[in-house]
Amino acid sequence: MAPLRRRYWLALAGSGLLAACSSNRRRLAVQKGMLPALWQRKLPNDWAVDSLDLRQDLPPIKPSISSLVLSDGWAQALPTEQRRPWPAGPVTEGLLPIAQPLLRYGLPLGFGPWLLVLRNRADLLNGDGAARGWSLLLDPSLRGQLLLPASPRVVLEIAGRIGEPKSVLTQLRQQALGFGDRDALTLLLNGDAEAAVLPSRAVVPVLRRDTRLQALLPESGSPLWWSLLVQPAGGMPPPLEWLLAPRSSPLLDQMLRSGFTPPLKRPLLESALKRQIHPELLLPPEAVLQRCTSLLPLAPEATPGG
């Protein structure tokens, strides 16, 4: 029977019927790292997933794309005619107040803080180290050992939390081994750097298995990263059942373990957070969360150059 089945599928492929079925599927385009694979796999069979490569500027949205999952920076960069505000409904009920302003760009799916991550530098956190917060980035022992994000928006926001942004920016450049997100965690784990600023979605899963790393969310708060489901004009959202799936376990627990927190009010997450190793990094304490900020698009004159 197996060879028969193989010949049957080969014949279908040759006839073009499989291609026709595939072309009729709705398509979700996903920026790398912006949608947990375990949630992605729960999409109905009539949906296909395309990977977005954003090393170059985001091209115009293809008519075949029904929805996109993007970081907040890319979602805000889309021309207004290529995205629609997300309407009120079941999936917007229970969202954190801090998530509400982002509905003008799309539906917030997940979020978290940028964290200061150290490798084998517990000495920096001893005593009043943790209270120093972001100013630890300027510690002389980290000169040439620090990896900073590629995003100018994030670096500027952190600089402003340390002191006068322009002056601090100069000092951070002197501290930095490099600016980039793609390989930062690998360089940190391999011993090429001792400190990095990384999004919680990259850090939390590794903290569970690598005791060399310590992550700090300063009391002064942090810039936030966001994952947004963007609805292009003429597109279609994934089904409601799929969108609501992360509100209950086991999917909710699995997503939290992967460092991806649905932006829901604390009572909706409390039980699952208690089962996590680092709940304070997934949903910061309320006082700290109030000091966290979502980032607006960066004006050209504000770009930290040279």
Side-chain angles (χ1 to χ4, degrees):
M1 286 296 290
L4 203 61
R5 280 202 295 269
R6 184 171 179 272
R7 284 198 300 271
Y8 173 71
W9 289 112
L10 287 172
L12 277 181
S15 69
L17 289 175
L18 285 183
C21 291
S22 176
S23 65
N24 290 332
R25 298 173 78 188
R26 299 181 180 92
R27 310 199 76 81
L28 179 66
V30 178
Q31 179 183 344
K32 184 177 180 182
M34 288 295 110
L35 186 67
L38 45 93
W39 189 14
Q40 184 175 297
R41 287 194 292 267
K42 290 185 176 293
L43 269 170
N45 291 333
D46 58 346
W47 279 77
V49 176
D50 295 338
S51 179
L52 278 179
D53 186 351
L54 298 180
R55 282 174 292 186
Q56 299 178 346
D57 289 341
L58 186 69
I61 299 172
K62 299 176 183 176
S64 60
I65 298 299
S66 300
S67 292
L68 302 94
V69 179
L70 300 170
S71 67
D72 53 322
W74 281 103
Q76 292 176 56
L78 279 178
T80 53
E81 64 271 16
Q82 293 194 41
R83 53 175 165 77
R84 293 183 295 181
W86 199 275
V91 292
T92 63
E93 294 175 5
L95 285 181
L96 285 166
I98 201 169
Q100 298 289 339
L102 285 98
L103 290 170
R104 74 186 71 169
Y105 305 108
L107 176 68
L109 299 180
F111 87 119
W114 285 79
L115 302 171
L116 194 169
V117 188
L118 300 166
R119 182 187 57 82
N120 288 335
R121 290 304 310 269
D123 58 298
L124 281 179
L125 298 178
N126 291 338
D128 67 345
R132 291 168 62 192
W134 291 113
S135 64
L136 283 173
L137 296 176
L138 302 181
D139 192 274
S141 69
L142 291 180
R143 184 146 190 172
Q145 293 290 316
L146 172 64
L147 295 165
L148 290 169
S151 168
R153 301 183 313 149
V154 175
V155 178
L156 272 173
E157 171 71 17
I158 290 171
R161 289 173 183 271
I162 298 174
E164 195 282 314
K166 206 165 186 178
S167 170
V168 173
L169 210 51
T170 300
Q171 297 176 68
L172 286 175
R173 289 196 195 100
Q174 294 169 350
Q175 291 286 91
L177 173 65
F179 292 78
D181 310 331
R182 193 173 293 268
D183 301 314
L185 185 60
T186 301
L187 291 170
L188 189 66
L189 292 173
N190 287 347
D192 298 299
E194 292 184 356
V197 176
L198 292 164
S200 57
R201 66 178 186 273
V203 178
V204 169
V206 184
L207 290 176
R208 301 176 65 89
R209 59 180 184 269
D210 197 321
T211 57
R212 298 174 301 167
L213 298 185
Q214 302 89 36
L216 174 66
L217 172 58
E219 289 288 321
S220 62
S222 171
L224 298 171
W225 63 266
W226 290 90
S227 170
L228 298 175
L229 180 65
V230 176
Q231 188 65 70
M236 177 180 288
L240 180 62
E241 182 181 357
W242 183 82
L243 291 171
L244 294 175
R247 297 193 175 211
S248 57
S249 295
L251 182 58
L252 176 55
D253 287 74
Q254 293 166 341
M255 288 178 58
L256 291 172
R257 281 198 297 273
S258 73
F260 197 92
T261 305
L264 301 172
K265 292 179 180 176
R266 200 172 297 271
L268 298 174
L269 299 174
E270 201 72 62
S271 296
L273 284 170
K274 288 178 180 176
R275 295 190 285 271
Q276 307 304 313
I277 296 176
H278 298 284
E280 74 288 352
L281 303 181
L282 292 163
L283 182 61
E286 193 58 37
V288 177
L289 185 61
Q290 293 298 322
R291 302 184 195 110
C292 293
T293 49
S294 301
L295 300 175
L296 296 173
L298 189 65
E301 64 272 13
T303 305

